[in-house]
Amino acid sequence: MAKVMKLRKATPAKTWASALEEYLLFKKAQGLRDITVKGHRDVMELFFKRHPSCWPDEVKEAVYRFMGEDIKPGTFNIRRNYMRQFFAWAVGEGCIEQDPMVGLKKRKDSGRVECLDEAEVRRLILLPDRSTFAGLRDYALLCFVLDTGARPKEAFSLRIADFNLRSTEVTITSEVSKTGVSRTLPLSPVTVQAVKMLIGVRHEMWTDEVPVFCSAEGTPLRNDTWGDRLELYGDKLGVKIHPYMLRHTFATLFLRAGGNALALQRIMGHSSLNMTRLYVHMNRDDLKDQHMGASPMQRIAGKGARMRGL
């Protein structure tokens, strides 16, 4: 009598870590840049750090818990984007049976961005203790991001060679830029001086490959570490601050000071003007100021003119 062969159920990777590493190799083979691959890694490692025992049988419940956290729509959508790709790959590879992301729709984001006002910025840059390396780095990094609007990961990757302090410029290379397009940004004198001071106290054993905005040990600065530092400064100010908030602050204050939206698009490294439009969220006072400066009747009649015949 012939034996009936049972079909074996696909065996998952030994660990979620090995599955993730294979997935990241796959993304690199697709041509994704290192900074984008790092985004995939950061989100998935955060998920598995929160739910280390969910793989592979309890992934669905863990995903619901992770995505159900009290987070902003933008954060939800970023997580959703990376996790959809990973779990779709995992199903295709037989690591898990069902895609836990099915049915989780993108959340609508109002587009309102959080930023500090000028008074809060003035107080913030006075907080770091510049007598320590970490404090001086924080001060220089605050100046840099508030002066250029650079993304945190872009700033963390900058080397000395990327700065031309004599010409008061910095180049965010295509390898570092999120969009893969290089851009050269102007620097204000206060930022140039801060970066000079930071470079001047670097350890003599550090090579040129050590990023300018690094840890006291000469290792690359992590976004979560920078977030923790900003949280401490925010506690002193009585304001909740996160890394991207500094980028939002630059863009908002740039526009309020009369900066051109097209210039802002180039500085921020946006691929389209639609992204830049998110920062044009004027409140009532902003609208009044703009109206007073741009109204045809204000220019034609003059500030001292009075309406007659009414």
Side-chain angles (χ1 to χ4, degrees):
M1 184 176 177
K3 294 183 178 180
V4 178
M5 295 183 63
K6 294 184 179 180
L7 294 176
R8 287 189 176 183
K9 186 178 178 180
T11 56
K14 292 182 179 179
T15 63
W16 63 261
S18 61
L20 179 59
E21 291 305 321
E22 184 178 341
Y23 168 73
L24 295 176
L25 287 175
F26 167 70
K27 300 307 286 187
K28 286 185 177 180
Q30 286 185 318
L32 267 67
R33 294 178 302 111
D34 289 343
I35 192 169
T36 305
V37 172
K38 186 177 185 302
H40 284 268
R41 178 186 294 278
D42 288 346
V43 170
M44 296 314 306
E45 285 186 346
L46 177 62
F47 168 73
F48 285 114
K49 181 180 179 181
R50 301 268 179 87
H51 304 279
S53 303
C54 72
W55 183 267
D57 299 322
E58 299 176 2
V59 170
K60 190 173 185 179
E61 181 181 351
V63 165
Y64 289 170
R65 291 182 182 278
F66 186 65
M67 299 302 287
E69 292 177 1
D70 184 17
I71 54 178
K72 296 177 181 178
T75 303
F76 176 93
N77 293 335
I78 290 172
R79 289 183 179 181
R80 176 180 177 272
N81 177 46
Y82 288 127
M83 294 177 70
R84 282 180 67 221
Q85 295 180 60
F86 172 75
F87 285 118
W89 173 88
V91 170
E93 292 295 311
C95 298
I96 57 176
E97 293 185 6
Q98 296 181 333
D99 187 344
M101 299 301 295
V102 172
L104 290 178
K105 297 182 179 180
K106 188 175 181 180
R107 290 183 182 175
K108 186 175 181 180
D109 193 341
S110 65
R112 180 81 178 182
V113 296
E114 296 178 309
C115 67
L116 303 171
D117 59 34
E118 290 189 7
E120 290 168 334
V121 170
R122 291 191 188 96
R123 293 166 56 202
L124 174 61
I125 61 177
L126 293 176
L127 291 177
D129 178 6
R130 283 179 260 178
S131 66
T132 66
F133 178 84
L136 181 58
R137 179 211 58 216
D138 291 352
Y139 170 73
L141 186 52
L142 286 170
C143 290
F144 178 77
V145 177
L146 289 167
D147 196 24
T148 64
R151 299 176 179 90
K153 290 181 181 179
E154 292 175 339
F156 301 158
S157 302
L158 292 173
R159 300 324 197 248
I160 293 178
D162 297 321
F163 287 88
N164 187 337
L165 298 180
R166 179 172 297 182
S167 299
T168 65
E169 292 179 336
V170 63
T171 297
I172 297 179
T173 63
S174 58
E175 293 78 16
V176 170
S177 172
K178 180 180 179 180
T179 59
V181 178
S182 175
R183 65 188 192 277
T184 298
L185 307 176
L187 299 173
S188 67
V190 66
T191 301
V192 169
Q193 184 61 29
V195 173
K196 278 184 178 179
M197 292 171 60
L198 183 60
I199 292 175
V201 299
R202 286 165 64 90
H203 195 284
E204 59 182 9
M205 297 297 292
W206 291 354
T207 67
D208 292 341
E209 291 302 308
V210 175
V212 172
F213 304 111
C214 62
S215 71
E217 293 75 31
T219 57
L221 192 63
R222 291 176 55 90
N223 197 60
D224 54 354
T225 302
W226 180 228
D228 291 341
R229 301 286 293 184
L230 290 177
E231 185 176 349
L232 292 174
Y233 294 135
D235 289 342
K236 294 180 180 179
L237 288 178
V239 178
K240 187 174 182 180
I241 306 176
H242 55 82
Y244 251 83
M245 193 174 184
L246 302 178
R247 177 172 162 87
H248 300 331
T249 297
F250 162 78
T252 301
L253 297 183
F254 180 91
L255 290 173
R256 286 182 177 176
N260 183 276
L262 290 175
L264 180 63
Q265 178 189 353
R266 293 186 62 182
I267 293 172
M268 300 282 282
H270 288 154
S271 56
S272 72
L273 196 57
N274 288 332
M275 290 296 296
T276 311
R277 289 194 182 101
L278 292 175
Y279 297 100
V280 189
H281 58 282
M282 297 181 177
N283 58 33
R284 292 176 62 184
D285 291 336
D286 295 327
L287 291 174
K288 288 181 179 179
D289 291 341
Q290 289 288 316
H291 183 265
M292 286 295 291
S295 169
M297 286 305 299
Q298 183 68 14
R299 295 197 307 274
I300 294 169
K303 294 182 179 181
R306 294 182 178 179
M307 291 190 300
R308 299 179 180 179
L310 296 179

